[in-house]
Amino acid sequence: MSTDRTVAATIDRANTERAGAVVGYLPAGYPDLETSVDAAVALAENGVDVIELGLPYSDPVMDGPVIQRAAEESLANGFKVAQVFDAVRAITERVDTPVLVMTYWNPVLRYGVERFADDLVAAGAAGLITPDLIPDEGQQWIDASERTGLDRVFLAAPSSTDTRMRQAVDRSRGFVYAVSTMGVTGARTGVDSAARTVVSRLRDAGVERTCVGLGISTADQVREVLEYADGAIIGSAFVRALADLGVGGVAERAAELSAGAAAPGAAPPGAASSGAGRR
């Protein structure tokens, strides 16, 4: 990936040109591998700056029911860990958008940390988001990502101590994922006010870039989050659109939500023709 298309550069550019960055999550292999690739491309073609591609896992403790069901269906249809690299490669061949793989740590350990990192690089991925790996237990991944130049995104939550906040800031590369609420993911009617506190504490700890996730489902919420954070992360809203309306629905939803990051007076992105009408 060229230097100006790294996650960091992409987020910085979005904050210069618009209100901030939009990060969009979809699970790999849902409802099948080809459709999941088409849906991720639809995100990129409709205003999403960074793609977060989930690796389906049998024990997704942080995911809400919408994402859990999608992961279960993907696994039931035979999705294998190695296919996430196929998905990343197919996406990055079609769009020049950074792709971060979101994965629980156990699949990486079982696959082999160094092998996983090498295969990520070969596929064109930008790095990993690791929701259940805390920085002070992540040295193996830190070493592998240093060797390969991959980004590593750790999480900070309302319950994080000041020490854990500093660790997340010091050891992340790309951005720090600010969890806005305690509990599992899922679209909510309002973004928890704790998000502002988490971001403020990360700023105090010296964070360069932080994106807020868990519960964002409207353009107004995107706009609100970008008043104080560098990016807004959207997951369940896109997964639900894919489940209900197919790839065309993902394209429309991405255009709708990314409008919350538009500069005042800017026209919202249009639905991409390549995604319309696909499942």
Side-chain angles (χ1 to χ4, degrees), residues 21-279:
V22 176
V23 180
Y25 169 92
L26 285 171
Y30 175 74
D32 55 70
L33 189 63
E34 181 181 359
T35 304
S36 68
V37 169
D38 289 342
V41 170
L43 292 181
E45 291 178 339
N46 288 276
V48 169
D49 300 287
V50 177
I51 294 168
E52 179 185 347
L53 189 67
L55 177 59
Y57 182 51
S58 57
D59 188 24
V61 294
M62 281 190 60
D63 294 324
V66 172
I67 294 175
Q68 283 189 21
R69 283 194 296 270
E72 289 168 359
E73 182 172 336
S74 179
L75 292 170
N77 290 338
F79 185 87
K80 304 299 183 186
V81 170
Q83 289 180 289
V84 76
F85 307 112
D86 297 331
V88 171
R89 185 175 293 106
I91 294 165
T92 55
E93 286 175 351
R94 292 171 59 181
V95 292
D96 191 19
T97 301
V99 179
L100 289 165
V101 171
M102 194 289 284
T103 179
Y104 292 92
W105 189 237
N106 191 49
V108 180
L109 282 176
R110 288 187 298 179
Y111 192 86
V113 177
E114 298 295 335
R115 178 185 172 208
F116 200 100
D118 289 338
D119 287 353
L120 272 181
V121 171
L128 286 184
I129 299 172
T130 50
D132 63 339
L133 181 67
I134 58 177
D136 52 343
E137 295 179 0
Q139 193 60 51
Q140 194 175 4
W141 167 235
I142 291 170
D143 291 343
S145 59
E146 282 298 311
R147 177 179 63 81
T148 55
L150 290 164
D151 285 340
R152 49 182 183 265
V153 177
F154 292 110
L155 274 63
S159 60
S160 297
T161 64
D162 290 343
T163 297
R164 183 62 52 78
M165 288 277 185
R166 288 192 296 272
Q167 289 175 338
V169 169
D170 292 342
R171 299 176 189 179
S172 290
R173 183 163 58 202
F175 65 90
V176 176
Y177 193 131
V179 179
S180 65
T181 59
M182 298 300 293
V184 299
T185 62
R188 294 176 173 85
T189 57
V191 176
D192 198 295
S193 60
R196 290 182 183 268
T197 300
V198 173
V199 171
S200 177
R201 292 177 64 200
L202 286 169
R203 299 289 189 208
D204 289 343
V207 75
E208 291 186 61
R209 302 167 198 88
T210 181
C211 301
V212 170
L214 301 187
I216 298 171
S217 59
T218 70
D220 284 343
Q221 288 176 345
V222 171
R223 192 172 296 110
E224 175 188 348
V225 164
L226 294 180
E227 291 176 359
Y228 58 90
D230 304 295
I233 303 171
I234 304 161
S236 293
F238 289 146
V239 180
R240 184 177 288 108
L242 180 58
D244 294 344
L245 300 169
V247 174
V250 172
E252 292 176 8
R253 198 79 169 100
E256 173 192 344
L257 294 180
S258 63
S273 59
S274 63
R278 293 182 183 168
R279 171 79 174 77

